[in-house]
């Protein structure tokens, strides 16, 4: 019997080529998009799942509290882990990671600036699963100045030589340290939120960063993870943390400090930052899941609609089969079977499409996805399951519908396409267009928002600014000379330096005491003269820092307008302030200064954060970036000139540069990817919908051939006929708009919550989405209608 | 074998009832060869479908051997139908996507006949109806007469007690029609009960009894 079904299924495919092509192609495109997105989601969800202890590993989060303000951060400082191990029971192991992001590592002539050089406690290999290909993970990080590196890194420094026991020189500021390579790491899985090329023994840091760093520095780029015993409730430990933190942890100026534990499986999506490595956005994944489900559903609906629309031509077969002894369950099975055949054929095609789409898709998502469909059992299972579910889902309605035909009515030729079938088909078409229109509108909004963010008036000019990191004290000390030399080239318009790269990295924090209040928490950017001028920040009142006033270098302060509000000043000029840190309750004075100028607010953080108050103060020791405004028409010459001069200075560090604008756009990479995937999904969803509509229209036209012929004989014009055929479909699409708009509205509101600065939701986007849908369906249907309307009525009528 | 008591069949569309059959009382004995005649729209096909259990009467009783057909559920009906009745239509009504061989095989598949037996049955039919050479062709590759032969073969292959034929020669030329009628005659001589609808006096002469229908009434 089954063979019989298969035969009929295949012969049906062959006999109705256009129909089958539409059906299977639509389904396979839908499946391919669905699979790509699902694989991407699966990949994202798989972060850190390769650690055996994943259920018992936690990232430690520091919680700073001041009144209502609660600030969570995961750079805990080096002192935390030993204190936790000493004072809290119920912790098996703790690991610290410290990473300065940009040390100069060398071997002989080969020198690279490394962004992923981690220091970690020995326990790292007990807690996490990072196996070594060479070396012994029990002892590799035992001695100070031992380091393990990844295969890839080894290749970079040593080529094909065995790196074991070789030496790498580590350079931070002017100090150099030799590390011995004690192990080579197996490839670190791509779905690890920890991303490193080197892991060096933590004890090395005592020599490199000093005792203070190890025991007193609570704000260093150090992340802490703990391993709890199997089955131990993290809640029990968390109860002890407030008391522990109160007793042992430096509060700075906060009212209270505590710690929380973030399960490893949540770190990738929910870690409050600053991120140690990769991070993701689960909100986006949620939206992507919906998009992928939409696409698949749209494809399934096509399938159902085309099958039932075609029921007329299957009716005879069904009636006959019943006459010669088929019973309903057998027919249901036959049609589900056929649907499964189609679905699996579509899946096979989809596999090729996935391969075909993957490069483009990877472009959108930043090249994360590597798909080896046949080797990865999870992917394979997903595919089989998808094909199966789609087959059943898409086949069930046609199966039930078709198998219900009464043989007599079919054979007597009295089968009218039942009212309910037509109604259901209409509902399905509406549903399809609801999804498509919602997708169009949402993707336009997402696109608008991202453009809005990127082109927003920032309060400074990010264009034509080149950023060069200052990674080393030796560079910092000669910055002034470098600057002057650079400025000799007329293409280099302005040079400044600061502690942060605006829109990319974060500001420092400091406590402020004014005449009226103390312990005011403020953001501060340490800058060079010319900062305001280089970035083209607008000065509201007062004056900029000036080279001619010698006290400016130590005492002058600029504040923005938002800061004025915080201080409660009307004018602000001439106000005195004391700047200090608070450590372990003690005040550590830093600067005294006078406000000499008020600048307009500018977005020194990315635009998911609102405008904040800020102080600008000159401090040469805090320069980490130099920013250079260059002549836009002489970009290449400018860069060459910067490079030449850099080389002349013979720094240990090689010349490197980025464009400020690129760096800032990189911050929105996740959002960009998301938007791209949304657009991609939308495109295919519309295409699949149209494919379905095309098929439906062709059947509708076929069924109405006679009517069209008669109308034409009676004198109907071709445009009139096209209108007649279109009007049915247009009504449906128009109806779909009404349902789609609220859906899109809701989705967009949710998406926009992620941003501090949002576009306003404009009606025309909805109208546009509806218009696009109507236009596209008009084209599709008219194509079919035209064919029928132009046919000679004598030919069409003779059929009957 | 068959007893119809006061069978009425009407179709209602809106407030209007169209009667296809009115108070039909009819008895058919096993082994009979009966012809139903009458003008178009008289209710001949309706009668045949009801006899074939593909349609249900609006009122009246239908006894098939000892079964009260009018009391049976749809499932039981189709069970009874599939085991005892073969149907032949005016337009040959084969499954377009199946070859001659497969068309013949399908009723046996629905009856869950095992592979070897199935093969020999199909072979036997192909042989008897002289379509062996055509067995791998699709219906649209055959002439009308050949298609109708296959359709008769398919109706017969399950050894039904009753064969219902609705204008089986209506679309055939004289020679083809004659061949089909000869086949029916042969089958009837072997013991199969046959009820046919025809407009042709000549075809009617193959049978031994004629029932005339007019506007849903039996008129004799
Ligand atoms: N499904 C139906 N709905 C409405 N009327 C029907 C239906 N089937 C048959 N009829 C009507 O019943 C009458 C008998 O039809 P039928 O049995 O097909 O006649 P015959 O086969 O003798 O030509 C006709 O008037 C026909 O129009
Ligand atoms: Mg008839």
């Amino acid at each position: 019997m089954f063979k019989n079904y298969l035969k009929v299924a295949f012969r049906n495919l062959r006999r109705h080529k256009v129909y089958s092509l539409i059906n299977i192609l639509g389904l396979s495109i839908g499946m391919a998009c669905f699979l790509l997105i699902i694989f991407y989601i699966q990949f994202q969800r798989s972060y850190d799942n390769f650690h055996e202890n994943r259920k018992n590993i936690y990232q430690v989060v520091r919680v700073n509290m001041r009144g209502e303000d609660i600030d969570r951060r995961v750079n805990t400082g080096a002192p935390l882990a030993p204190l936790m191990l000493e004072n809290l029971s119920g912790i098996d192991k703790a690991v610290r990671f410290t990473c300065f992001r940009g040390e100069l590592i060398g071997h002989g002539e080969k020198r690279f600036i490394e962004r992923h050089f981690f220091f970690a406690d020995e326990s790292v290999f007990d807690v996490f699963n990072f196996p070594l290909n060479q070396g012994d993970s029990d002892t590799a990080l035992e001695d100070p100045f031992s380091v393990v590196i990844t295969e890839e890194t080894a290749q970079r420094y040593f080529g094909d030589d065995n790196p074991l026991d070789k030496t790498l020189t580590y350079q931070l500021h002017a100090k150099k340290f030799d590390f011995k390579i004690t192990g080579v790491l197996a490839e670190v899985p791509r779905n690890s939120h920890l991303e490193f090329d080197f892991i060096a023994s933590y004890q090395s840091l005592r020599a490199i960063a000093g005792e203070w760093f190890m025991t007193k520095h609570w704000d260093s780029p150090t992340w802490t993870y703990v391993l709890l015993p199997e089955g131990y409730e993290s809640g029990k430990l968390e109860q002890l943390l407030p008391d522990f933190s109160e007793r042992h942890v430096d509060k700075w100026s906060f009212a209270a400090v505590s710690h929380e534990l973030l399960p490893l499986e949540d770190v990738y999506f929910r870690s409050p930052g600053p991120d140690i490595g990769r991070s993701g956005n689960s909100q986006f994944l949620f939206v992507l899941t919906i998009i992928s489900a939409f696409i698949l559903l749209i494809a399934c609906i096509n399938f159902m609609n085309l099958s039932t629309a075609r029921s007329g031509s299957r009716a005879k077969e069904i009636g006959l089969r019943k006459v010669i002894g088929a019973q309903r369950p057998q027919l249901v099975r036959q049609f589900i079977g056929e649907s499964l055949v189609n679905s699996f054929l579509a899946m096979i095609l989809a596999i090729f499409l996935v391969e075909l789409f993957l490069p483009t898709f990877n472009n959108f998502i930043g090249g994360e996805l590597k798909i080896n469909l046949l080797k990865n059992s999870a992917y394979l299972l997903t595919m089989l399951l998808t094909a199966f579910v789609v087959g059943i889902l898409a086949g069930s309605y046609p199966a039930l519908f078709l198998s219900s035909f009464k043989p007599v009515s079919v054979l007597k030729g009295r089968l009218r396409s039942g009212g309910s079938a037509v109604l259901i088909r209409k509902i399905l078409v509406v549903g399809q267009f609801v999804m498509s229109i919602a997708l169009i509108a949402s993707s336009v909004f997402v696109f608008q928002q991202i453009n809005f963010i990127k082109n927003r008036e920032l309060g400074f000019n990010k264009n034509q600014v080149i950023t060069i990191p200052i990674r080393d004290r030796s560079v910092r000390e000669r910055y002034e000379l470098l600057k002057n030399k650079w400025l000799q080239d007329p293409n280099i318009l302005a040079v400044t330096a600061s502690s942060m790269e605006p829109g990319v990295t974060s500001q420092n924090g400091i406590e402020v005491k004014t005449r009226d209040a103390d312990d005011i928490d403020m953001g501060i950017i340490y800058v060079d003269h010319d900062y305001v001028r280089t970035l083209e920040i607008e000065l509201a009142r007062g004056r900029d820092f000036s080279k001619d006033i010698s006290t400016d270098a130590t005492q002058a302060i600029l504040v923005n307008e938002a800061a004025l509000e915080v201080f409660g000043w009307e004018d602000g000029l001439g106000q005195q302030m004391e700047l200090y840190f608070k450590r372990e309750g003690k005040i550590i004075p830093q600067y005294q200064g006078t406000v000499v100028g008020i600048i307009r607010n500018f977005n020194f953080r990315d635009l998911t954060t609102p405008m904040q108050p800020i102080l600008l103060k000159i401090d040469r020791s805090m320069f980490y970036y130099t920013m250079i405004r260059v002549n836009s028409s002489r970009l290449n010459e400018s860069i060459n000139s910067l490079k030449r001069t850099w080389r002349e200075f013979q720094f240990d560090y090689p010349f490197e540069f980025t464009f400020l604008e690129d760096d800032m756009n990189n911050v929105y990479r996740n959002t960009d990817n998301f938007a791209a995937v949304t657009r991609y999904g939308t495109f295919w969803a519309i295409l699949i919908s149209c494919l379905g509509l095309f098929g439906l229209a062709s059947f509708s036209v076929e069924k109405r051939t006679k009517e069209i012929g008669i109308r034409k004989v009676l004198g109907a014009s071709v445009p009139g006929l096209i209108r007649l055929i279109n009007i049915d479909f247009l009504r449906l699409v128009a109806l779909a708009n009404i349902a789609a708009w609220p859906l899109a509205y809701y989705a967009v509101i949710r998406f926009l919550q992620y941003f501090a600065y949002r576009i306003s939701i404009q009606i025309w986007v909805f109208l546009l989405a509806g218009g696009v849908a109507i236009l596209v369906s008009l084209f599709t249907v008219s194509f079919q209608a035209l064919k029928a309307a132009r046919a000679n009525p004598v030919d069409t009528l003779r059929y009957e | 074998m068959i007893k119809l008591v006061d069978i009425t069949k009407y179709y209602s569309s809106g407030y209007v009832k169209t009667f296809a059959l009115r108070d039909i009382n009819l008895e058919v004995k096993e082994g009979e060869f009966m012809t139903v005649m009458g003008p178009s729209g008289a209710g001949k096909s309706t009668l045949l479908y009801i006899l074939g259990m593909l349609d249900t009467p609006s009122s009246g009783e239908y006894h098939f051997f000892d079964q009260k057909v009018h009391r049976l559920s749809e499932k039981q009906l189709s069970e009874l139908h599939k085991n005892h009745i073969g149907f032949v239509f005016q337009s040959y009504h084969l499954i377009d996507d199946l070859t001659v061989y497969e068309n013949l095989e399908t009723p046996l598949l629905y009856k869950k006949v095992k592979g070897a037996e199935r093969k020999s049955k199909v072979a036997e039919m192909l042989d008897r109806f002289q379509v062996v050479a055509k067995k791998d062709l699709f219906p649209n590759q055959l002439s009308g007469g050949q298609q109708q032969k296959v359709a008769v073969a398919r109706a017969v292959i399950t050894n039904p007690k009753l064969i219902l034929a609705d204008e089986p020669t209506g679309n055939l030329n004289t020679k083809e029609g004659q061949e089909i009628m000869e086949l029916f005659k042969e089958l009837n001589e072997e013991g199969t009960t046959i009820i046919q609808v025809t407009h042709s006096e000549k075809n009617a002469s193959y049978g031994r009894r004629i029932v005339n229908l007019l506007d849903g009434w039996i008129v004799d």
Side-chain angles (χ1 to χ4, degrees), chain A residues 378-507:
Chain A
Y379 287 163
L380 210 59
L381 197 71
T382 311
M383 291 192 308
L384 290 179
L385 214 67
T386 306
F388 189 73
V389 170
V390 164
I392 300 279
L393 187 77
S396 57
Y397 170 62
L400 290 173
F401 172 69
L402 293 174
S403 68
S404 72
F405 289 170
K406 288 250 183 316
V408 205
S409 31
V410 175
L411 297 171
K412 275 190 187 164
R414 287 195 179 265
L415 185 78
R416 256 170 275 119
S417 13
S420 71
V422 172
L423 182 70
I424 289 179
R425 197 149 67 231
K426 281 182 176 167
I427 292 173
L428 290 176
V429 171
V430 170
Q432 237 176 354
F433 272 89
V434 168
M435 293 187 266
S436 294
I437 295 167
L439 281 178
I440 299 175
S442 312
S443 60
V444 172
F445 282 125
V446 169
F447 181 76
Q448 278 188 325
Q449 171 68 22
I450 286 171
N451 267 349
F452 171 75
I453 290 275
K454 284 186 179 165
N455 300 327
R456 209 188 124 77
E457 198 45 64
L458 296 167
F460 69 96
N461 181 358
K462 65 185 175 182
N463 302 312
Q464 280 88 48
V465 175
I466 285 168
T467 302
I468 299 173
I470 300 176
R471 300 197 181 273
D472 184 89
R473 194 178 292 159
S474 64
V475 180
R476 196 170 296 126
E477 277 160 1
R478 295 164 76 192
Y479 161 75
E480 205 67 35
L481 289 170
L482 186 64
K483 174 178 177 178
N484 290 335
K485 193 79 196 284
W486 271 339
L487 282 170
Q488 283 170 13
D489 183 333
N491 289 324
I492 292 167
L493 308 177
V495 177
T496 191
S498 97
S499 55
M500 73 176 280
E501 192 179 6
V504 184
T505 62
S506 46
Q507 75 277 30

Side-chain angles (χ1 to χ4, degrees), chain B residues 175-190:
Chain B
K175 186 173 159 282
E176 288 171 332
Q178 214 167 329
E179 265 183 51
I180 296 293
M181 290 316 295
E182 288 298 332
L183 280 170
F184 281 138
K185 197 173 151 200
E186 234 175 87
L187 286 166
N188 180 244
E189 278 159 10
E190 286 164 18

